[in-house]
Amino acid sequence: MTPVLPPFSLPMFICVFSTMPSFPPSFFTYVYTTVPSVSPSICTCVSSTILPCWFRHHKTLKLRCPPPARSLIAPSQNLTCHHGPGVLLIWCKISPYQQGAERARAAALEILQRLDSSYVDLLLIHWPGASKTKTTDPANAKLRLESWRVLEELYEQGKLKAIGVSNYEESHLKELASHAKIMPMVNQVEVHPQRPNTCLRQLCQDLGIAVVAYASLGCGHLLQNPIVLDVAQQTGKSPAQVLLRWGLQKGCAVIPKAANPGHLIAAGELLNWELPGDLEARLDGLENGTKYCWDPSGIA
């Protein structure tokens, strides 16, 4: 997962929704840009290669991109900026630098202004801590609750279609549940076979929170794991497909990063097959607690 980017350089991503009765999606794929706006070449690639493929197979492709890309892609694909099959979805985050009532509100409103949009589909609090605040400082809890109150307010006003959190551990979710008027709809956390986060996922399920898994490939480290390679060989899939499918079968949304059109198309083939139980169990056996990304467990 990439660090939080400022609103003017939002990454673009593609995501496929499976047939689910309500928000959120069960599958996402990102196409990242490295410049403040999406380049026409990437838009053309997505428009001519990826969208037709996934529309044909899934009929529910979602695309997120800054306004410059929106104008390039939407006309050719006859997309709209409204909910329903084939829409543009906009996801954003409140960074640790923007925690607290005033900063969170200013950040959310600036996102809307820079996107020239009356709403954002999903806004997440990226991290349970506040920047330049010691992890053990109780101010973290105070500031993130203030931020959540802002998200609740903007949700009630219709400016946010969904609200959620990221990197929240069990303690953070239980604390939020005791104060929230509106429960988060998403928790985006690190989940992969070495760190399945079973207890956290169960708590999210109990609270009605969808889990979006990042680092599904173990930041690339799991792609060469002998067991992953063997499972891939037995299923005729790539190691990445095997790991992403494992995440789906655990009830998570997955958000693999890719810039290669071939990788994106391959990722789009996750919904038409399953890992057999014995092979899924072999991947389960990789659990050892390894964490590849940030660790929020010590944040008060």
Side-chain angles (χ1 to χ4, degrees):
M1 194 176 70
T2 60
V4 173
L5 299 176
F8 56 84
S9 59
L10 286 169
M12 180 177 70
F13 73 85
I14 299 171
C15 55
V16 176
F17 283 31
S18 67
T19 32
M20 297 180 66
S22 61
F23 190 90
S26 65
F27 176 81
F28 306 80
T29 298
Y30 289 75
V31 183
Y32 285 92
T33 61
T34 56
V35 293
S37 61
V38 179
S39 69
S41 61
I42 291 179
C43 292
T44 301
C45 170
V46 171
S47 180
S48 64
T49 305
I50 309 303
L51 293 185
C53 173
W54 282 4
F55 267 117
R56 183 171 64 251
H57 288 295
H58 304 294
K59 306 298 183 185
T60 50
L61 183 72
K62 316 295 181 180
L63 175 70
R64 167 198 176 205
C65 54
R70 209 184 275 175
S71 63
L72 286 170
I73 296 176
S76 64
Q77 294 301 328
N78 194 29
L79 300 178
T80 68
C81 294
H82 304 288
H83 290 276
V87 300
L88 299 179
L89 289 181
I90 303 171
W91 287 34
C92 302
K93 288 184 176 180
I94 298 294
S95 83
Y97 293 93
Q98 299 164 327
Q99 290 278 34
E102 292 185 8
R103 291 186 177 183
R105 180 174 288 102
L109 296 178
E110 184 179 15
I111 287 171
L112 294 172
Q113 180 183 12
R114 294 196 181 210
L115 289 174
D116 189 24
S117 176
S118 61
Y119 70 91
V120 165
D121 292 281
L122 173 65
L123 187 60
L124 302 176
I125 296 177
H126 175 66
W127 186 252
S131 180
K132 299 181 180 180
T133 305
K134 292 183 178 181
T135 58
T136 56
D137 193 331
N140 287 301
K142 175 179 180 293
L143 291 169
R144 65 174 171 262
L145 179 58
E146 288 181 9
S147 298
W148 188 251
R149 291 290 185 234
V150 171
L151 268 60
E152 290 177 326
E153 175 188 330
L154 296 176
Y155 176 82
E156 290 175 334
Q157 294 174 3
K159 295 178 179 178
L160 306 176
K161 300 300 183 181
I163 53 179
V165 296
S166 181
N167 296 298
Y168 271 43
E169 297 284 292
E170 293 174 68
S171 60
H172 305 130
L173 286 180
K174 290 177 180 178
E175 175 195 69
L176 180 56
S178 68
H179 296 289
K181 295 186 296 182
I182 301 170
M183 286 297 294
M185 299 158 195
V186 170
N187 186 21
Q188 185 174 322
V189 294
E190 181 177 344
V191 178
H192 47 73
Q194 289 183 327
R195 191 180 184 85
N197 251 325
T198 305
C199 293
L200 177 59
R201 288 190 291 109
Q202 183 61 55
L203 177 61
C204 287
Q205 181 177 329
D206 294 342
L207 295 175
I209 301 170
V211 175
V212 176
Y214 69 79
S216 297
L217 312 184
C219 294
H221 295 281
L222 290 174
L223 294 175
Q224 298 301 318
N225 182 281
I227 292 178
V228 174
L229 290 172
D230 187 54
V231 171
Q233 183 178 27
Q234 291 192 52
T235 56
K237 303 296 182 180
S238 71
Q241 287 176 313
V242 163
L243 290 165
L244 294 170
R245 181 65 215 185
W246 177 90
L248 290 180
Q249 291 183 203
K250 297 305 180 187
C252 300
V254 290
I255 47 175
K257 295 184 292 184
N260 183 307
H263 293 168
L264 286 172
I265 293 172
E269 300 299 325
L270 291 178
L271 304 179
N272 57 5
W273 63 282
E274 293 185 3
L275 284 168
D278 59 328
L279 297 183
E280 182 180 353
R282 289 191 66 193
L283 295 175
D284 292 344
L286 293 174
E287 181 177 0
N288 59 13
T290 299
K291 186 163 182 56
Y292 293 102
C293 301
W294 312 278
D295 186 358
S297 60
I299 297 177

